[in-house]
mmCIF file of all heavy atoms in Angstrom:
data_model
loop_
_atom_site.group_PDB
_atom_site.id
_atom_site.type_symbol
_atom_site.label_atom_id
_atom_site.label_comp_id
_atom_site.label_asym_id
_atom_site.label_seq_id
_atom_site.Cartn_x
_atom_site.Cartn_y
_atom_site.Cartn_z
ATOM 1 N N GLU A 1 -37.876 -11.656 48.983
ATOM 2 C CA GLU A 1 -37.635 -10.342 48.300
ATOM 3 C C GLU A 1 -36.496 -10.359 47.299
ATOM 4 O O GLU A 1 -36.511 -9.642 46.235
ATOM 5 C CB GLU A 1 -37.307 -9.353 49.439
ATOM 6 C CG GLU A 1 -37.124 -7.887 48.810
ATOM 7 C CD GLU A 1 -36.959 -6.890 50.016
ATOM 8 O OE1 GLU A 1 -37.049 -7.299 51.191
ATOM 9 O OE2 GLU A 1 -36.625 -5.779 49.711
ATOM 10 N N ASN A 2 -35.409 -11.042 47.531
ATOM 11 C CA ASN A 2 -34.313 -11.217 46.648
ATOM 12 C C ASN A 2 -34.254 -12.456 45.762
ATOM 13 O O ASN A 2 -33.328 -12.622 45.121
ATOM 14 C CB ASN A 2 -33.056 -11.112 47.451
ATOM 15 C CG ASN A 2 -32.882 -9.833 48.350
ATOM 16 O OD1 ASN A 2 -33.212 -8.714 47.737
ATOM 17 N ND2 ASN A 2 -32.544 -9.867 49.516
ATOM 18 N N ASP A 3 -35.228 -13.297 45.891
ATOM 19 C CA ASP A 3 -35.406 -14.462 45.058
ATOM 20 C C ASP A 3 -36.497 -14.504 44.212
ATOM 21 O O ASP A 3 -37.655 -14.871 44.624
ATOM 22 C CB ASP A 3 -35.348 -15.697 46.037
ATOM 23 C CG ASP A 3 -35.194 -17.033 45.271
ATOM 24 O OD1 ASP A 3 -34.772 -16.939 44.039
ATOM 25 O OD2 ASP A 3 -35.355 -18.036 45.826
ATOM 26 N N SER A 4 -36.374 -13.935 42.955
ATOM 27 C CA SER A 4 -37.667 -13.795 42.080
ATOM 28 C C SER A 4 -37.094 -13.946 40.603
ATOM 29 O O SER A 4 -35.838 -13.895 40.337
ATOM 30 C CB SER A 4 -38.429 -12.544 42.219
ATOM 31 O OG SER A 4 -37.376 -11.316 42.034
ATOM 32 N N GLY A 5 -37.916 -13.992 39.739
ATOM 33 C CA GLY A 5 -37.601 -14.085 38.403
ATOM 34 C C GLY A 5 -38.796 -14.161 37.522
ATOM 35 O O GLY A 5 -40.029 -14.083 37.975
ATOM 36 N N GLU A 6 -38.675 -14.182 36.109
ATOM 37 C CA GLU A 6 -39.812 -14.177 35.232
ATOM 38 C C GLU A 6 -40.452 -15.441 35.194
ATOM 39 O O GLU A 6 -39.799 -16.530 35.214
ATOM 40 C CB GLU A 6 -39.119 -13.894 33.783
ATOM 41 C CG GLU A 6 -40.260 -13.656 32.666
ATOM 42 C CD GLU A 6 -39.652 -13.423 31.390
ATOM 43 O OE1 GLU A 6 -38.419 -13.354 31.202
ATOM 44 O OE2 GLU A 6 -40.494 -13.079 30.438
ATOM 45 N N PHE A 7 -41.754 -15.513 35.243
ATOM 46 C CA PHE A 7 -42.579 -16.789 35.338
ATOM 47 C C PHE A 7 -42.919 -17.154 33.926
ATOM 48 O O PHE A 7 -43.752 -16.478 33.154
ATOM 49 C CB PHE A 7 -43.801 -16.517 36.083
ATOM 50 C CG PHE A 7 -44.738 -17.744 36.148
ATOM 51 C CD1 PHE A 7 -44.315 -18.821 37.045
ATOM 52 C CD2 PHE A 7 -45.855 -17.817 35.515
ATOM 53 C CE1 PHE A 7 -45.103 -19.967 36.944
ATOM 54 C CE2 PHE A 7 -46.724 -18.931 35.594
ATOM 55 C CZ PHE A 7 -46.333 -19.978 36.410
ATOM 56 N N ILE A 8 -42.247 -18.211 33.341
ATOM 57 C CA ILE A 8 -42.452 -18.782 32.057
ATOM 58 C C ILE A 8 -42.645 -20.184 31.975
ATOM 59 O O ILE A 8 -41.672 -20.984 31.957
ATOM 60 C CB ILE A 8 -41.235 -18.290 31.057
ATOM 61 C CG1 ILE A 8 -40.969 -16.801 31.036
ATOM 62 C CG2 ILE A 8 -41.585 -18.804 29.688
ATOM 63 C CD1 ILE A 8 -39.898 -16.490 30.293
ATOM 64 N N PRO A 9 -43.888 -20.639 32.147
ATOM 65 C CA PRO A 9 -44.095 -22.079 32.123
ATOM 66 C C PRO A 9 -43.925 -22.700 30.860
ATOM 67 O O PRO A 9 -44.484 -22.202 29.712
ATOM 68 C CB PRO A 9 -45.653 -22.206 32.549
ATOM 69 C CG PRO A 9 -46.142 -20.877 32.144
ATOM 70 C CD PRO A 9 -45.091 -19.871 32.266
ATOM 71 N N GLY A 10 -43.077 -23.621 30.692
ATOM 72 C CA GLY A 10 -42.712 -24.305 29.456
ATOM 73 C C GLY A 10 -41.598 -23.406 28.668
ATOM 74 O O GLY A 10 -40.941 -22.699 29.300
ATOM 75 N N ILE A 11 -41.686 -23.496 27.432
ATOM 76 C CA ILE A 11 -40.636 -22.925 26.607
ATOM 77 C C ILE A 11 -41.420 -21.979 25.642
ATOM 78 O O ILE A 11 -42.354 -22.250 25.015
ATOM 79 C CB ILE A 11 -39.770 -23.860 25.829
ATOM 80 C CG1 ILE A 11 -39.145 -24.814 26.772
ATOM 81 C CG2 ILE A 11 -38.860 -23.153 24.929
ATOM 82 C CD1 ILE A 11 -38.348 -25.921 26.020
ATOM 83 N N LYS A 12 -40.853 -20.812 25.515
ATOM 84 C CA LYS A 12 -41.510 -19.765 24.608
ATOM 85 C C LYS A 12 -41.246 -20.348 23.193
ATOM 86 O O LYS A 12 -40.171 -20.463 22.843
ATOM 87 C CB LYS A 12 -40.955 -18.445 24.797
ATOM 88 C CG LYS A 12 -41.311 -17.763 26.157
ATOM 89 C CD LYS A 12 -41.337 -16.279 26.060
ATOM 90 C CE LYS A 12 -39.823 -15.822 25.942
ATOM 91 N NZ LYS A 12 -39.723 -14.218 26.090
ATOM 92 N N GLY A 13 -42.382 -20.297 22.502
ATOM 93 C CA GLY A 13 -42.297 -20.792 21.060
ATOM 94 C C GLY A 13 -42.383 -19.680 20.069
ATOM 95 O O GLY A 13 -42.383 -18.445 20.560
ATOM 96 N N ILE A 14 -42.479 -19.987 18.831
ATOM 97 C CA ILE A 14 -42.627 -18.860 17.879
ATOM 98 C C ILE A 14 -44.150 -18.649 17.690
ATOM 99 O O ILE A 14 -44.967 -19.538 17.529
ATOM 100 C CB ILE A 14 -42.056 -19.432 16.611
ATOM 101 C CG1 ILE A 14 -40.487 -19.678 16.757
ATOM 102 C CG2 ILE A 14 -42.169 -18.291 15.362
ATOM 103 C CD1 ILE A 14 -39.829 -20.217 15.427
ATOM 104 N N LYS A 15 -44.431 -17.403 17.717
ATOM 105 C CA LYS A 15 -45.824 -16.912 17.524
ATOM 106 C C LYS A 15 -46.254 -16.959 16.085
ATOM 107 O O LYS A 15 -46.218 -16.144 15.426
ATOM 108 C CB LYS A 15 -46.014 -15.534 18.189
ATOM 109 C CG LYS A 15 -45.577 -15.457 19.610
ATOM 110 C CD LYS A 15 -45.722 -13.962 20.163
ATOM 111 C CE LYS A 15 -45.208 -13.755 21.514
ATOM 112 N NZ LYS A 15 -45.290 -12.445 22.006
ATOM 113 N N THR A 16 -46.540 -18.266 15.603
ATOM 114 C CA THR A 16 -46.877 -18.347 14.168
ATOM 115 C C THR A 16 -48.328 -17.977 13.974
ATOM 116 O O THR A 16 -48.618 -17.660 12.881
ATOM 117 C CB THR A 16 -46.599 -19.811 13.789
ATOM 118 O OG1 THR A 16 -47.167 -20.682 14.590
ATOM 119 C CG2 THR A 16 -45.062 -19.991 13.842
ATOM 120 N N LEU A 17 -49.118 -18.326 14.945
ATOM 121 C CA LEU A 17 -50.605 -18.130 14.781
ATOM 122 C C LEU A 17 -50.947 -17.157 15.876
ATOM 123 O O LEU A 17 -50.847 -17.502 16.956
ATOM 124 C CB LEU A 17 -51.407 -19.328 14.858
ATOM 125 C CG LEU A 17 -52.951 -19.202 14.873
ATOM 126 C CD1 LEU A 17 -53.398 -18.632 13.585
ATOM 127 C CD2 LEU A 17 -53.624 -20.579 15.074
ATOM 128 N N ARG A 18 -51.570 -15.922 15.483
ATOM 129 C CA ARG A 18 -51.909 -15.021 16.513
ATOM 130 C C ARG A 18 -53.215 -14.250 16.068
ATOM 131 O O ARG A 18 -53.074 -13.416 15.171
ATOM 132 C CB ARG A 18 -50.778 -14.039 16.806
ATOM 133 C CG ARG A 18 -51.177 -13.179 18.124
ATOM 134 C CD ARG A 18 -49.900 -12.813 18.758
ATOM 135 N NE ARG A 18 -50.322 -12.143 20.041
ATOM 136 C CZ ARG A 18 -49.434 -11.898 20.979
ATOM 137 N NH1 ARG A 18 -48.110 -12.143 20.679
ATOM 138 N NH2 ARG A 18 -49.791 -11.280 22.109
ATOM 139 N N LEU A 19 -54.296 -14.713 16.566
ATOM 140 C CA LEU A 19 -55.551 -14.024 16.318
ATOM 141 C C LEU A 19 -55.536 -12.671 16.966
ATOM 142 O O LEU A 19 -54.772 -12.450 17.949
ATOM 143 C CB LEU A 19 -56.787 -14.868 16.699
ATOM 144 C CG LEU A 19 -56.869 -16.196 16.115
ATOM 145 C CD1 LEU A 19 -57.953 -16.989 16.662
ATOM 146 C CD2 LEU A 19 -56.978 -16.134 14.565
ATOM 147 N N PRO A 20 -56.385 -11.693 16.475
ATOM 148 C CA PRO A 20 -56.410 -10.458 17.267
ATOM 149 C C PRO A 20 -56.780 -10.556 18.719
ATOM 150 O O PRO A 20 -57.833 -11.151 19.053
ATOM 151 C CB PRO A 20 -57.496 -9.749 16.430
ATOM 152 C CG PRO A 20 -57.680 -10.316 15.127
ATOM 153 C CD PRO A 20 -57.254 -11.824 15.427
ATOM 154 N N VAL A 21 -55.801 -10.214 19.582
ATOM 155 C CA VAL A 21 -55.987 -10.362 20.966
ATOM 156 C C VAL A 21 -55.673 -9.070 21.691
ATOM 157 O O VAL A 21 -54.697 -8.455 21.214
ATOM 158 C CB VAL A 21 -55.082 -11.480 21.547
ATOM 159 C CG1 VAL A 21 -55.173 -11.509 23.189
ATOM 160 C CG2 VAL A 21 -55.466 -12.842 20.921
ATOM 161 N N PHE A 22 -56.520 -8.572 22.542
ATOM 162 C CA PHE A 22 -56.321 -7.336 23.153
ATOM 163 C C PHE A 22 -56.142 -7.569 24.646
ATOM 164 O O PHE A 22 -57.193 -7.848 25.324
ATOM 165 C CB PHE A 22 -57.462 -6.335 22.899
ATOM 166 C CG PHE A 22 -57.664 -6.079 21.358
ATOM 167 C CD1 PHE A 22 -58.556 -6.788 20.697
ATOM 168 C CD2 PHE A 22 -56.798 -5.191 20.789
ATOM 169 C CE1 PHE A 22 -58.722 -6.560 19.354
ATOM 170 C CE2 PHE A 22 -56.991 -4.833 19.482
ATOM 171 C CZ PHE A 22 -57.874 -5.565 18.780
ATOM 172 N N ILE A 23 -55.044 -7.592 25.033
ATOM 173 C CA ILE A 23 -54.665 -7.948 26.523
ATOM 174 C C ILE A 23 -54.303 -6.583 27.198
ATOM 175 O O ILE A 23 -53.371 -5.973 26.791
ATOM 176 C CB ILE A 23 -53.563 -8.940 26.714
ATOM 177 C CG1 ILE A 23 -53.927 -10.318 26.004
ATOM 178 C CG2 ILE A 23 -53.279 -9.147 28.114
ATOM 179 C CD1 ILE A 23 -52.908 -11.286 26.075
ATOM 180 N N SER A 24 -54.997 -6.241 28.194
ATOM 181 C CA SER A 24 -54.751 -4.996 28.825
ATOM 182 C C SER A 24 -55.115 -5.238 30.347
ATOM 183 O O SER A 24 -56.163 -5.052 30.863
ATOM 184 C CB SER A 24 -55.529 -3.804 28.361
ATOM 185 O OG SER A 24 -55.186 -2.696 28.885
ATOM 186 N N THR A 25 -54.009 -5.644 30.985
ATOM 187 C CA THR A 25 -54.177 -5.628 32.527
ATOM 188 C C THR A 25 -53.457 -4.277 32.981
ATOM 189 O O THR A 25 -53.018 -3.528 32.228
ATOM 190 C CB THR A 25 -53.404 -6.808 33.174
ATOM 191 O OG1 THR A 25 -52.096 -6.907 32.743
ATOM 192 C CG2 THR A 25 -54.126 -8.117 32.691
ATOM 193 N N CYS A 26 -53.408 -4.211 34.322
ATOM 194 C CA CYS A 26 -52.721 -2.942 34.776
ATOM 195 C C CYS A 26 -51.987 -3.153 36.084
ATOM 196 O O CYS A 26 -52.256 -4.082 36.821
ATOM 197 C CB CYS A 26 -53.674 -1.659 34.855
ATOM 198 S SG CYS A 26 -54.687 -1.867 36.335
ATOM 199 N N HIS A 27 -51.117 -2.257 36.332
ATOM 200 C CA HIS A 27 -50.303 -2.268 37.617
ATOM 201 C C HIS A 27 -51.249 -1.865 38.670
ATOM 202 O O HIS A 27 -52.120 -1.121 38.561
ATOM 203 C CB HIS A 27 -49.164 -1.256 37.466
ATOM 204 C CG HIS A 27 -48.159 -1.502 38.421
ATOM 205 N ND1 HIS A 27 -48.272 -1.074 39.739
ATOM 206 C CD2 HIS A 27 -46.913 -2.159 38.423
ATOM 207 C CE1 HIS A 27 -47.162 -1.344 40.378
ATOM 208 N NE2 HIS A 27 -46.353 -2.000 39.611
ATOM 209 N N GLU A 28 -50.891 -2.551 39.902
ATOM 210 C CA GLU A 28 -51.933 -2.238 41.014
ATOM 211 C C GLU A 28 -51.896 -0.738 41.334
ATOM 212 O O GLU A 28 -52.925 -0.326 42.012
ATOM 213 C CB GLU A 28 -51.363 -3.041 42.278
ATOM 214 C CG GLU A 28 -49.956 -2.818 42.683
ATOM 215 C CD GLU A 28 -49.133 -3.973 42.045
ATOM 216 O OE1 GLU A 28 -49.354 -4.407 40.860
ATOM 217 O OE2 GLU A 28 -48.100 -4.383 42.670
ATOM 218 N N LYS A 29 -50.956 0.056 41.031
ATOM 219 C CA LYS A 29 -50.940 1.468 41.300
ATOM 220 C C LYS A 29 -52.037 2.177 40.591
ATOM 221 O O LYS A 29 -52.512 3.278 40.858
ATOM 222 C CB LYS A 29 -49.584 2.074 40.925
ATOM 223 C CG LYS A 29 -48.484 1.899 41.965
ATOM 224 C CD LYS A 29 -47.292 2.760 41.486
ATOM 225 C CE LYS A 29 -46.294 2.688 42.660
ATOM 226 N NZ LYS A 29 -45.111 3.539 42.292
ATOM 227 N N GLU A 30 -52.481 1.500 39.476
ATOM 228 C CA GLU A 30 -53.561 2.214 38.689
ATOM 229 C C GLU A 30 -54.950 2.056 39.431
ATOM 230 O O GLU A 30 -55.929 2.811 39.014
ATOM 231 C CB GLU A 30 -53.663 1.532 37.252
ATOM 232 C CG GLU A 30 -52.393 1.654 36.445
ATOM 233 C CD GLU A 30 -51.906 3.045 36.403
ATOM 234 O OE1 GLU A 30 -52.707 3.987 36.465
ATOM 235 O OE2 GLU A 30 -50.618 3.270 36.177
ATOM 236 N N TYR A 31 -55.139 1.230 40.340
ATOM 237 C CA TYR A 31 -56.397 1.158 41.111
ATOM 238 C C TYR A 31 -56.527 2.274 42.072
ATOM 239 O O TYR A 31 -55.446 2.694 42.557
ATOM 240 C CB TYR A 31 -56.525 -0.226 41.707
ATOM 241 C CG TYR A 31 -56.788 -1.328 40.858
ATOM 242 C CD1 TYR A 31 -55.666 -2.116 40.344
ATOM 243 C CD2 TYR A 31 -58.029 -1.718 40.421
ATOM 244 C CE1 TYR A 31 -55.842 -3.240 39.433
ATOM 245 C CE2 TYR A 31 -58.261 -2.776 39.659
ATOM 246 C CZ TYR A 31 -57.121 -3.597 39.183
ATOM 247 O OH TYR A 31 -57.323 -4.605 38.322
ATOM 248 N N ILE A 32 -57.757 2.688 42.416
ATOM 249 C CA ILE A 32 -57.967 3.692 43.430
ATOM 250 C C ILE A 32 -57.432 3.088 44.685
ATOM 251 O O ILE A 32 -57.904 2.080 45.152
ATOM 252 C CB ILE A 32 -59.317 4.066 43.434
ATOM 253 C CG1 ILE A 32 -59.829 4.715 42.134
ATOM 254 C CG2 ILE A 32 -59.660 4.945 44.582
ATOM 255 C CD1 ILE A 32 -61.223 5.061 42.033
ATOM 256 N N SER A 33 -56.588 3.860 45.362
ATOM 257 C CA SER A 33 -56.089 3.381 46.625
ATOM 258 C C SER A 33 -56.940 3.575 47.811
ATOM 259 O O SER A 33 -58.050 4.305 47.617
ATOM 260 C CB SER A 33 -54.690 4.114 46.968
ATOM 261 O OG SER A 33 -54.914 5.543 47.016
ATOM 262 N N LYS A 34 -56.608 2.995 48.953
ATOM 263 C CA LYS A 34 -57.439 3.266 50.127
ATOM 264 C C LYS A 34 -57.408 4.814 50.461
ATOM 265 O O LYS A 34 -58.501 5.283 50.967
ATOM 266 C CB LYS A 34 -56.751 2.504 51.289
ATOM 267 C CG LYS A 34 -57.520 2.672 52.584
ATOM 268 C CD LYS A 34 -56.911 1.781 53.674
ATOM 269 C CE LYS A 34 -57.646 1.930 55.003
ATOM 270 N NZ LYS A 34 -57.026 1.046 56.131
ATOM 271 N N GLU A 35 -56.323 5.359 50.319
ATOM 272 C CA GLU A 35 -56.209 6.819 50.576
ATOM 273 C C GLU A 35 -57.151 7.677 49.675
ATOM 274 O O GLU A 35 -57.788 8.582 50.080
ATOM 275 C CB GLU A 35 -54.804 7.285 50.482
ATOM 276 C CG GLU A 35 -54.574 8.839 50.776
ATOM 277 C CD GLU A 35 -53.254 9.347 50.534
ATOM 278 O OE1 GLU A 35 -52.257 8.431 50.234
ATOM 279 O OE2 GLU A 35 -52.974 10.494 50.571
ATOM 280 N N SER A 36 -57.197 7.222 48.409
ATOM 281 C CA SER A 36 -58.045 7.889 47.419
ATOM 282 C C SER A 36 -59.440 7.646 47.779
ATOM 283 O O SER A 36 -60.335 8.615 47.710
ATOM 284 C CB SER A 36 -57.716 7.397 45.984
ATOM 285 O OG SER A 36 -56.366 7.707 45.627
#
């Protein structure tokens, strides 16, 4: 619980080439819950 951090495999490089990408995930709260 107290031992966590950002997951970054490798080294972040410069985004020199970036084709149109649409990434849209969502937080688990956005899913319909068991109660719902």
